[in-house]
Amino acid sequence: MAGKKRAQADLAVLEAVAAPDASRDDAAAGEVPAKKKKLAMERKKQRKELDKERHRQTAESDAAKPQPPAPEAVEPVNPSPAPAAAAGPGLHMNVFRDLASPEASVRETAAEALVGELRAVQKGYEKGARKGEREAGDGDGPSQMEAEKDDGLDNCAPSVRYAIRRLIRGISSSREYARQGFALGLAVVLESIRSIRVEAIMKLIPNLLEYSSSMKGPEAKDNLLGRLFGFGAIVRSGRVSRQWIREKSSPIVKDFVSEVVELGSKKRYLTEPAVAVILDLVRKLPDEAVLSEVLESPGIQDWFNRADDIGDPDALFLALKLQERTNVQKEIFGKLLPYPFTPDNFFAEQHLKSIASCFKESAFCLPRIHSLWLVVTEMLVREAACQHDINTSSGKKHKKNKKASSSEDTKRNLRNFCEVVIEESLLLSSHDRKHLAFNILLNLLPKLSPSAIQVVLSSKVVHGLMDILSNESSWLYNAGKHFLRELASVVTHDNDRRAVVIINLQKYSGGRFDSMTKTKTVKEFISKFQSVEDCLCLVQNLMALFVDEESVTDEPSDQSQTTDENSEIGATEEQGPFGQGNVDLLKSWVVNTISCVLKNIKLTSKGNSDSEMVKCIEEKFQVQTEILKFFAVQGLFSASLGTEVTSFELQEKFKWPKNPISTSLRNECIQQLQFLLEDAQKDEALHVASEAKSNDLGFYFMRFINTVCNIPSVSLFRTLSSNDDNAFKKLLAIESMLFQEERKAGPGLDSTKMHVMRYLLIQLLLQVLLHPDEYWEAAVDVTICCKKSFPAIAQGKSSQSEEDGSKESDDEEDSNEEVSLEFMDVLVQTFLSILPHASGPVCFTIEQASVLSVRQVFRVFCDDITDTGLLDMLRVVKIDLKGHRQTDSDDEDDGRVDIEDDDDETVMEDAEVGEIDDVADDSGEDTEDDSADEGDADQDDSKEAVSNEAKDGNKGVATKDGDDSDDSDGMDDDAMFRIDPYIARIFKERNLPGSESRQSQLMRFKLRVLTLLDIYLQRNPGQILVLDAYSFLMQAFVKSHGADGSEQFRQRIGGILQRRIFKGKEYPEGNGIEFGKLENLLERALRLASRSRYSAIASVAQNATFWILKIINSMNCSEEQLASVVDKFRSSLNDYDRKKSRLKLGFVKEVVRRNPWIGQELFGFVLQKVENTSAEYRRNQLLELVDCILKSWVGDASEVLMNHLAQLCELIQEILSNIPKNKSRRKEVRNFCIGILQTVMKLNLKEQFQNALNPETHSLCQAQLGTAFAPFKKDSK
């Protein structure tokens, strides 16, 4: 009956205040049927009226009697104002609604209001308490809040009882924030109202929030969580700790811990928050209570004893926190913690393996990280931090051993944790545990030093990350991407950490982390090293990685060690990326990355002063020298004793890998060394003049080579032959002399020549070391050129030879010097011997630096080039492998063919097989385009013919009409003798493994020579030799349009012709030019412009015609010479009416506009062509040409027109008699006639023109031309 009365009273109160509530007690009342509910309400009203009357009478009779105070009443801290006498203190139901508000401030306000009201109610209850009364201070009447008698709250007012019970039910509600708000209300109520017994609340919580196995999931979960929040509220109130402090014999702490442990054991998700409740209690208890009450609790001991067997991470977490709190050294934690407990013992390998199951089971709460990991990582970080503080705070010598030992222990603990827990327990397990492993690392990495990060990012971690990211369909792919993003944010502002991450990622992936994971992680990390200090830091780390092989080779090479049955890439996939062969790939990456680091340096100066710029250059020079020494030591030298050598002169220690590096790696080091020197040479334009010498990287390199060569235990990586050794020593000596002379000379051309020659010597020195017995001749020739070009070098060399008593230099010059060749001829031949060198892909890139040095030298020396040297380069451009070496009787008949001979025309026509019409006679017979295809087919023969040609120089390739296709390219015996060694090198190397085809090698040779020619033409556009260059380039350009032509080669030649020759501001001019050569070149250009089927050739030929005519106009040519020029155009126009003529009259018009004298000479011939042309289109084109000629006449041209007036009149009569029907064509004819009339009037030849007109022509003009002909009527004067 009491329960029913309570429910009815609650419902009455709720209806009275119109505040609906979703608590469980109200819900129970709402389930009563409507009929019963109505009867209960009526009975309740009746009882209420009776109770009020009875209480009023009793209060009046006892008003005069004093009221004894309650024995256990405790005055509140902040008593509420006394309520009015007419209405006692009451409880407002809206505070319970506000406790579930999402706003924290609203919940806090509601809790404060609830506490104030309950304290007032309880105070009134205690004041009015006496025998037979329970709710004297309750203004709502005793029956309203009547509660059960056996709830343990006998000393509490009914409103307090009601509030307690409602708060307990509220913490089990999942509505909005009811659980948090009601738990807050329960905590503050227990803290403020001391008459509430804690033991009663501990019993009331499980009684009201029942749990049984038959309950449904959501209801059971709500009740269990309600219990947990209830116990948490008890702890937050502080009543348990204060009660034990007042009465230490009280079992309240043990009972409470046992209840919480029992609650946590019911469900897995309750265990960790139950531990949090216990730890919250521990923080409020003194150490004595923790040791005697908490640790001695039966539930705790049982939990610890079985935790290691079942793998309970919460028990381990609680044990670590209790150990941290008490620092007790007892065997009370079972096997969870070692005895005695120290961090070193806890992170011992054996102990970690014994509790590995606890770590594995902590993955159940993903994606959240279990609290256990925060404690463990904090222990690791705390140890590392303590060690760091010790190392930085003291510098006493007697503590060095202790520091080193402690540092080793810290690293050992971290390594054991990573190996046992991360790698063996988590990474080799399920996907969830792998995910947990990477989350733990993300939590740990920001707190570690760079050396500790190097331990954490082990090979298995990197391999596991690569295993995930290599497959986008992987379950953990997004987790892997997130790990990389967070890792990038961790190392963004710390260069040391970033360097360590780069090293580890690449070390364990063989330098292919980005390619394997399809990301740009490493590349982006490297790009952030931009200052000099940062770059030096990274370079030093990369150098250490290159030399240290143990860290790579000691790691497991089998990928299966980092994968399991859940991995996307199984152990049966390729194991190559992590094998021993991966070491070379890693070292190759290091070599290439070091050079890239230098490119990332950003030199910033606050001003534009020379001193600040010099400072920036010096900083970059510091990085350059470090990189240069590394490349030089690893690429050029090897140590005979051990792997470390100390140079006392340089005060440096050099290290080599234990295993000798491969030849390809040496080549890469030398390649990067050459590129480094090349870039330094380019950057010298930024140097301040006064500081240029001190930052000469070439000088530093040569001195470094000299110094290292003098170390007894260090030698070059290969033994040099006598020729190579001689060239090597000479290059060192000449470069040293050049440097001294360069320092003596001031800024100017001589200093520049010496500087670029020095860098060529340095590049040749590296080529001599790289290619045995291949470059020594070129190197010796360059040294001879240096002595000839710079007399001071020759004098110094001769004096040195006399002092040494050596005849080596004299013998050398006798064997290498050619009396017939000038200095530049020798230099050009040396360049041509360097350029055709062809090797594999690696050596090709190495060679580029030498080629660039050749360009630099050629640029400053090209003004002194001779005819012989230029022609040697031009012949290389025109030469062709097909039919190159022919020794049959045809060669004997050819002899030397000059560049302007007619046989060269045959060469050009043969190269353009099938594209030039045969114009042998004037019979008008058109030959088919396919008539010359045989020559092309013979030239484009099979590979067998090419191979036979390469092996047997006596066999030629048949071409058109049985003639030699190249005709030896116009070379005499001396020229062939000079060119043959270059082509022979290509033939020699074409069959080398990995080499390219001989055609591609020759094409590369040609392109390099074209670069030199481009430089020459750029600096010498007005030399007469430009005509020879044009002739050869034009022939090569026409040949390149054959079947084997290279598009790159065509574009390169076309660009040089257009940019350097045709469009140049300067050109060969004057009477020193041979007119016959110009006449021959003009004839070929006109033939190509009128016959070529390729538009590119026709366009270039047209521009060539304009350029040649410009040269002819600059000369004082005789009338006969000019007449021969006109004859060339007359010959081209003579073929215009042929069906397959490709002559564009727009080109002829442009010639006439630029050269009016040619138009005057062609005027009569063009008029005759118009009369003889039957095709309407061609006839109109010729009429436009006539009109153009007339408009271009300037000065006194009346005599020329007088000579052709009769022809003009006949032409006017003919075209007006046959006027076209097409309107536009008819308009063109009329405009042409009108233009003639205007020209006649302009030259004052009106009367002569009228006399030449016959009556028929006169009438036609009058009829067709109208008013335009009015001035020419015979009756008008």
Side-chain angles (χ1 to χ4, degrees):
M1 290 298 295
K4 291 182 180 180
K5 288 182 179 180
R6 181 193 56 78
Q8 293 169 359
D10 290 349
L11 185 56
V13 172
L14 292 177
E15 289 182 352
V17 298
D21 189 68
S23 331
R24 295 185 178 276
D25 50 350
D26 297 334
E31 294 177 357
V32 180
K35 186 176 181 179
K36 293 183 179 180
K37 184 175 180 181
K38 184 177 181 179
L39 295 176
M41 292 294 294
E42 293 177 353
R43 289 196 296 272
K44 179 179 178 182
K45 288 181 179 180
Q46 295 175 0
R47 287 198 304 271
K48 186 175 181 181
E49 294 296 333
L50 294 175
D51 290 340
K52 282 185 177 181
E53 181 65 22
R54 185 176 66 253
H55 283 292
R56 184 181 61 80
Q57 294 175 359
T58 304
E60 290 177 355
S61 61
D62 297 339
K65 297 180 181 180
Q67 299 180 357
E72 296 182 3
V74 180
E75 292 294 332
V77 180
N78 297 317
S80 302
L91 179 63
H92 297 83
M93 296 296 109
N94 57 348
V95 296
F96 294 104
R97 180 189 61 202
D98 293 340
L99 285 176
S101 173
E103 297 294 334
S105 59
V106 176
R107 295 198 300 269
E108 293 174 1
T109 303
E112 293 177 359
L114 176 64
V115 170
E117 292 178 359
L118 292 181
R119 288 169 63 185
V121 170
Q122 181 65 21
K123 182 179 180 181
Y125 175 78
E126 292 173 352
K127 287 183 178 180
R130 59 182 172 273
K131 186 177 180 180
E133 294 183 353
R134 291 290 182 255
E135 295 182 19
D138 193 345
D140 292 335
S143 62
Q144 178 185 0
M145 300 296 182
E146 190 173 351
E148 296 179 358
K149 305 287 185 173
D150 57 350
D151 55 3
L153 302 176
D154 298 338
N155 297 328
C156 298
S159 295
V160 175
R161 293 184 182 182
Y162 167 78
I164 291 294
R165 301 170 72 88
R166 184 163 183 178
L167 288 172
I168 293 175
R169 288 192 175 93
I171 57 179
S172 66
S173 174
S174 59
R175 179 174 60 90
E176 291 184 332
Y177 288 79
R179 189 169 284 126
Q180 292 92 323
F182 279 78
L184 173 64
L186 181 60
V188 295
V189 167
L190 291 178
E191 182 180 7
S192 301
I193 302 177
R194 304 298 176 85
S195 60
I196 303 175
R197 297 176 59 250
V198 176
E199 293 85 350
I201 302 299
M202 291 172 56
K203 293 180 180 179
L204 192 59
I205 288 175
N207 291 337
L208 294 179
L209 304 179
E210 297 180 353
Y211 169 77
S212 63
S213 58
S214 61
M215 297 178 67
K216 295 182 179 180
E219 184 181 2
K221 182 178 180 180
D222 289 342
N223 285 350
L224 290 176
L225 289 176
R227 289 188 185 186
L228 184 66
F229 273 76
F231 287 118
I234 294 175
V235 173
R236 294 292 177 89
S237 67
R239 294 289 299 277
V240 177
S241 57
R242 286 198 295 268
Q243 183 171 337
W244 186 89
I245 292 173
R246 289 195 306 268
E247 187 180 355
K248 294 185 179 181
S249 60
S250 172
I252 184 65
V253 174
K254 289 185 179 180
D255 295 342
F256 182 84
V257 172
S258 298
E259 287 287 340
V260 174
V261 170
E262 182 182 359
L263 175 62
S265 64
K266 293 184 181 297
K267 292 292 181 181
R268 181 65 177 271
Y269 57 82
L270 295 174
T271 311
E272 187 177 5
V275 171
V277 171
I278 295 174
L279 293 177
D280 198 3
L281 175 63
V282 168
R283 281 190 289 270
K284 297 177 181 297
L285 292 173
D287 294 344
E288 179 184 358
V290 175
L291 292 174
S292 62
E293 302 296 325
V294 177
L295 289 178
E296 297 298 333
S297 175
I300 290 288
Q301 290 297 318
D302 295 340
W303 194 8
F304 287 159
N305 291 332
R306 67 176 185 270
D308 60 322
D309 296 331
I310 62 176
D312 194 334
D314 302 295
L316 179 59
F317 171 62
L318 179 60
L320 287 172
K321 296 298 290 184
L322 291 177
Q323 173 64 37
E324 179 184 358
R325 173 72 167 79
T326 61
N327 197 22
V328 63
Q329 296 293 339
K330 295 181 180 179
E331 294 186 78
I332 57 177
F333 299 103
K335 297 180 180 179
L336 294 178
L337 301 183
Y339 175 76
F341 179 84
T342 61
D344 293 342
N345 292 339
F346 179 79
F347 289 109
E349 183 177 359
Q350 294 299 326
H351 180 261
L352 290 177
K353 289 182 178 180
S354 66
I355 60 175
S357 58
C358 297
F359 293 116
K360 288 182 180 181
E361 296 301 322
S362 65
F364 74 91
C365 58
L366 280 175
R368 184 181 60 83
I369 298 179
H370 196 280
S371 303
L372 169 65
W373 296 109
L374 302 179
V375 178
V376 175
T377 54
E378 185 63 27
M379 291 175 61
L380 289 170
V381 173
R382 185 168 58 248
E383 290 296 315
C386 292
Q387 176 58 31
H388 179 73
D389 293 340
I390 293 175
N391 291 341
T392 55
S393 62
S394 176
K396 296 181 180 180
K397 295 182 179 180
H398 68 275
K399 291 188 177 181
K400 288 185 178 179
N401 294 333
K402 183 177 180 181
K403 294 177 190 177
S405 176
S406 179
S407 177
E408 292 176 359
D409 293 343
T410 302
K411 286 187 176 181
R412 183 177 62 251
N413 293 343
L414 185 61
R415 184 176 294 105
N416 291 340
F417 172 77
C418 292
E419 290 179 357
V420 176
V421 179
I422 301 296
E423 298 172 8
E424 297 179 6
S425 299
L426 299 180
L427 285 180
L428 296 182
S429 189
S430 63
H431 290 297
D432 288 342
R433 289 170 182 171
K434 286 183 180 179
H435 192 184
L436 174 63
F438 288 112
N439 287 344
I440 295 168
L441 293 179
L442 286 180
N443 184 52
L444 185 62
L445 286 173
K447 306 172 185 178
L448 296 179
S449 63
S451 59
I453 292 178
Q454 191 172 7
V455 175
V456 172
L457 288 181
S458 61
S459 62
K460 292 183 179 179
V461 172
V462 175
H463 293 173
L465 186 61
M466 293 170 60
D467 178 33
I468 293 171
L469 293 176
S470 59
N471 185 6
E472 294 186 3
S473 62
S474 169
W475 290 3
L476 296 177
Y477 181 78
N478 291 333
K481 297 288 287 186
H482 174 72
F483 180 82
L484 287 184
R485 287 193 299 269
E486 294 299 319
L487 181 63
S489 65
V490 168
V491 302
T492 297
H493 304 293
D494 193 325
N495 295 320
D496 294 333
R497 289 182 177 181
R498 194 186 314 121
V500 169
V501 170
I502 292 173
I503 295 301
N504 277 38
L505 292 181
Q506 293 297 91
K507 177 168 63 175
Y508 301 125
S509 64
R512 298 191 298 168
F513 183 84
D514 283 353
S515 61
M516 295 290 290
T517 59
K518 302 175 184 179
T519 63
K520 296 181 180 180
T521 304
V522 176
K523 184 178 179 181
E524 292 174 355
F525 285 169
I526 294 174
S527 65
K528 295 183 180 180
F529 288 89
Q530 297 178 352
S531 67
V532 174
E533 295 79 6
D534 298 346
C535 291
L536 281 176
C537 172
L538 179 60
V539 167
Q540 291 170 358
N541 281 276
L542 292 173
M543 293 176 181
L545 177 61
F546 186 93
V547 175
D548 184 16
E549 293 181 343
E550 294 181 356
S551 59
V552 180
T553 56
D554 290 346
E555 294 295 337
S557 61
D558 190 356
Q559 187 182 359
S560 62
Q561 297 185 20
T562 60
T563 59
D564 61 291
E565 66 277 3
N566 297 317
S567 299
E568 284 70 25
I569 298 180
T572 57
E573 294 228 3
E574 60 171 311
Q575 300 174 4
F578 311 119
Q580 178 64 28
N582 196 38
V583 175
D584 283 350
L585 292 175
L586 176 61
K587 292 183 183 297
S588 176
W589 172 82
V590 170
V591 171
N592 289 280
T593 303
I594 288 178
S595 60
C596 293
V597 170
L598 188 61
K599 297 177 183 178
N600 292 336
I601 294 181
K602 291 186 178 180
L603 300 179
T604 56
S605 58
K606 297 181 180 179
N608 296 323
S609 63
D610 290 346
S611 59
E612 292 177 348
M613 182 60 67
V614 169
K615 183 179 179 181
C616 293
I617 297 299
E618 288 178 349
E619 289 178 351
K620 184 175 182 180
F621 183 75
Q622 181 183 2
V623 182
Q624 287 176 325
T625 53
E626 291 296 323
I627 297 175
L628 182 142
K629 289 186 290 186
F630 171 75
F631 286 149
V633 169
Q634 303 300 330
L636 301 179
F637 297 99
S638 61
S640 57
L641 300 176
T643 60
E644 291 188 10
V645 173
T646 302
S647 172
F648 297 100
E649 182 176 352
L650 298 174
Q651 297 182 354
E652 289 189 50
K653 181 182 292 185
F654 305 115
K655 295 181 66 176
W656 286 266
K658 291 184 178 180
N659 298 323
I661 63 176
S662 61
T663 303
S664 61
L665 275 176
R666 289 191 184 276
N667 290 343
E668 288 188 29
C669 289
I670 299 175
Q671 165 197 339
Q672 298 300 334
L673 180 60
Q674 289 179 311
F675 286 159
L676 179 63
L677 293 169
E678 173 197 338
D679 293 338
Q681 191 177 5
K682 292 179 181 178
D683 293 342
E684 285 175 356
L686 301 174
H687 289 176
V688 181
S690 61
E691 300 291 338
K693 306 298 181 182
S694 61
N695 289 336
D696 192 331
L697 194 64
F699 168 75
Y700 184 90
F701 170 70
M702 296 300 278
R703 302 293 81 77
F704 181 79
I705 293 294
N706 264 323
T707 304
V708 177
C709 285
N710 293 329
I711 300 177
S713 59
V714 177
S715 61
L716 293 172
F717 70 94
R718 72 174 181 88
T719 304
L720 300 180
S721 63
S722 59
N723 291 330
D724 286 346
D725 184 61
N726 183 33
F728 180 79
K729 293 178 180 178
K730 286 183 177 298
L731 290 171
L732 288 174
I734 296 297
E735 191 277 336
S736 178
M737 294 180 183
L738 280 176
F739 178 76
Q740 295 174 4
E741 292 299 324
E742 183 185 351
R743 290 176 65 92
K744 294 178 183 178
L749 181 60
D750 291 339
S751 177
T752 303
K753 287 183 177 181
M754 293 179 186
H755 189 74
V756 296
M757 189 63 79
R758 282 182 48 237
Y759 272 85
L760 176 60
L761 294 175
I762 294 173
Q763 296 291 350
L764 283 175
L765 181 141
L766 295 174
Q767 294 292 355
V768 167
L769 295 176
L770 269 178
H771 305 284
D773 295 326
E774 289 188 21
Y775 275 90
W776 68 269
E777 290 181 299
V780 172
D781 289 342
V782 172
T783 58
I784 295 174
C785 293
C786 290
K787 288 185 287 185
K788 286 187 176 183
S789 178
F790 310 108
I793 300 297
Q795 293 175 3
K797 184 69 176 177
S798 60
S799 61
Q800 182 179 358
S801 300
E802 290 176 2
E803 293 176 0
D804 296 342
S806 174
K807 299 181 180 180
E808 182 180 354
S809 73
D810 296 336
D811 297 339
E812 213 171 72
E813 294 193 15
D814 292 341
S815 60
N816 291 284
E817 183 178 5
E818 296 183 18
V819 179
S820 60
L821 296 178
E822 297 293 336
F823 154 70
M824 276 306 298
D825 295 339
V826 177
L827 189 61
V828 169
Q829 289 183 22
T830 304
F831 290 165
L832 294 179
S833 68
I834 296 173
L835 295 180
H837 182 80
S839 301
V842 175
C843 292
F844 166 69
T845 54
I846 294 175
E847 184 193 11
Q848 296 305 303
S850 299
V851 173
L852 293 173
S853 295
V854 169
R855 295 176 190 171
Q856 295 289 342
V857 175
F858 186 82
R859 189 180 300 276
V860 297
F861 283 96
C862 66
D863 294 339
D864 303 328
I865 198 170
T866 63
D867 298 359
T868 304
L870 181 62
L871 291 177
D872 284 346
M873 291 191 294
L874 291 171
R875 290 186 183 102
V876 170
V877 174
K878 200 180 74 170
I879 202 169
D880 193 357
L881 287 178
K882 294 187 176 181
H884 168 62
R885 295 291 295 156
Q886 298 183 0
T887 57
D888 51 8
S889 59
D890 292 340
D891 285 341
E892 298 176 1
D893 297 336
D894 289 340
R896 173 165 175 87
V897 183
D898 290 334
I899 189 172
E900 56 275 354
D901 285 347
D902 291 337
D903 289 340
D904 268 340
E905 179 184 344
T906 306
V907 174
M908 296 173 69
E909 290 181 348
D910 288 344
E912 200 181 3
V913 172
E915 68 183 70
I916 301 177
D917 295 333
D918 191 1
V919 199
D921 52 24
D922 296 334
S923 61
E925 179 182 357
D926 294 332
T927 58
E928 297 295 333
D929 290 339
D930 296 336
S931 62
D933 285 345
E934 291 183 10
D936 199 312
D938 291 335
Q939 285 186 354
D940 192 17
D941 207 347
S942 64
K943 293 183 180 180
E944 295 179 1
V946 174
S947 178
N948 294 334
E949 175 192 3
K951 295 178 181 178
D952 189 359
N954 297 328
K955 297 181 181 180
V957 178
T959 57
K960 180 180 178 181
D961 297 331
D963 292 337
D964 188 0
S965 64
D966 284 326
D967 217 11
S968 297
D969 284 328
M971 299 184 194
D972 57 9
D973 293 339
D974 293 337
M976 290 294 297
F977 177 78
R978 290 194 297 269
I979 296 298
D980 275 353
Y982 317 143
I983 308 302
R985 172 169 288 176
I986 295 175
F987 275 86
K988 175 182 177 182
E989 297 184 353
R990 65 181 248 276
N991 290 324
L992 292 177
S995 63
E996 302 175 4
S997 66
R998 61 176 186 170
Q999 187 66 31
S1000 61
Q1001 293 172 6
L1002 176 62
M1003 192 57 60
R1004 183 183 298 128
F1005 182 27
K1006 289 182 178 182
L1007 291 173
R1008 293 169 183 171
V1009 175
L1010 281 177
T1011 302
L1012 301 185
L1013 290 173
D1014 190 7
I1015 296 172
Y1016 172 79
L1017 294 174
Q1018 179 185 5
R1019 298 179 62 89
N1020 302 277
Q1023 297 292 329
I1024 298 178
L1025 289 176
V1026 175
L1027 291 172
D1028 295 338
Y1030 158 74
S1031 178
F1032 276 91
L1033 291 175
M1034 193 66 185
Q1035 294 178 47
F1037 182 71
V1038 174
K1039 279 186 178 183
S1040 67
H1041 286 75
D1044 296 335
S1046 168
E1047 180 66 24
Q1048 182 184 7
F1049 184 66
R1050 286 195 295 270
Q1051 292 179 359
R1052 190 71 176 278
I1053 293 184
I1056 293 175
L1057 287 171
Q1058 298 281 3
R1059 186 176 65 256
R1060 301 300 182 198
I1061 297 180
F1062 301 151
K1063 297 182 180 180
K1065 294 181 180 180
E1066 300 181 21
Y1067 55 89
E1069 53 185 340
N1071 296 326
I1073 304 173
E1074 184 180 350
F1075 181 79
K1077 180 182 294 187
L1078 290 174
E1079 185 180 12
N1080 193 13
L1081 294 176
L1082 179 61
E1083 182 179 359
R1084 295 174 191 171
L1086 287 174
R1087 179 168 295 185
L1088 288 174
S1090 61
R1091 298 183 182 182
S1092 176
R1093 67 168 57 181
Y1094 293 104
S1095 60
I1097 294 178
S1099 176
V1100 172
Q1102 292 172 10
N1103 290 329
T1105 303
F1106 301 145
W1107 180 72
I1108 295 171
L1109 289 175
K1110 186 164 56 174
I1111 297 174
I1112 292 175
N1113 291 331
S1114 69
M1115 302 169 59
N1116 296 325
C1117 298
S1118 62
E1119 293 183 0
E1120 294 179 356
Q1121 292 174 337
L1122 296 178
S1124 66
V1125 173
V1126 176
D1127 289 341
K1128 301 297 184 295
F1129 285 94
R1130 189 177 289 114
S1131 176
S1132 297
L1133 288 172
N1134 192 39
D1135 295 337
Y1136 181 67
D1137 57 350
R1138 291 180 179 272
K1139 183 178 180 181
K1140 293 190 177 181
S1141 175
R1142 297 185 177 90
L1143 180 65
K1144 305 296 182 182
L1145 287 188
F1147 158 64
V1148 183
K1149 294 177 189 177
E1150 187 64 28
V1151 172
V1152 170
R1153 292 190 189 100
R1154 299 186 183 189
N1155 306 274
W1157 61 274
I1158 295 178
Q1160 296 177 13
E1161 296 295 331
L1162 291 176
F1163 187 68
F1165 177 76
V1166 175
L1167 290 177
Q1168 184 180 358
K1169 290 292 294 182
V1170 174
E1171 296 174 358
N1172 297 333
T1173 301
S1174 58
E1176 184 180 356
Y1177 173 75
R1178 292 181 182 269
R1179 186 176 182 179
N1180 289 336
Q1181 291 291 314
L1182 288 171
L1183 289 177
E1184 292 179 4
L1185 178 58
V1186 173
D1187 183 63
C1188 180
I1189 294 174
L1190 291 174
K1191 291 179 180 179
S1192 66
W1193 281 358
V1194 292
D1196 187 11
S1198 58
E1199 184 179 353
V1200 179
L1201 188 59
M1202 278 286 296
N1203 295 334
H1204 299 91
L1205 279 179
Q1207 284 181 288
L1208 274 176
C1209 292
E1210 292 176 1
L1211 178 61
I1212 292 174
Q1213 179 182 354
E1214 182 179 354
I1215 61 176
L1216 291 179
S1217 300
N1218 302 308
I1219 192 165
K1221 297 180 180 180
N1222 186 281
K1223 185 177 180 180
S1224 61
R1225 295 284 178 85
R1226 187 164 59 249
K1227 183 177 180 181
E1228 292 176 0
V1229 170
R1230 289 173 179 170
N1231 291 336
F1232 169 73
C1233 295
I1234 293 172
I1236 294 177
L1237 297 179
Q1238 292 174 351
T1239 304
V1240 169
M1241 293 292 293
K1242 179 181 178 182
L1243 299 177
N1244 296 322
L1245 297 175
K1246 175 182 176 182
E1247 183 177 353
Q1248 292 83 343
F1249 183 74
Q1250 286 177 334
N1251 295 333
L1253 287 174
N1254 56 36
E1256 184 179 356
T1257 306
H1258 187 276
S1259 60
L1260 285 173
C1261 290
Q1262 190 173 4
Q1264 297 293 338
L1265 302 180
T1267 57
F1269 189 71
F1272 293 90
K1273 292 181 180 180
K1274 292 185 177 182
D1275 55 351
S1276 65
K1277 295 184 181 178

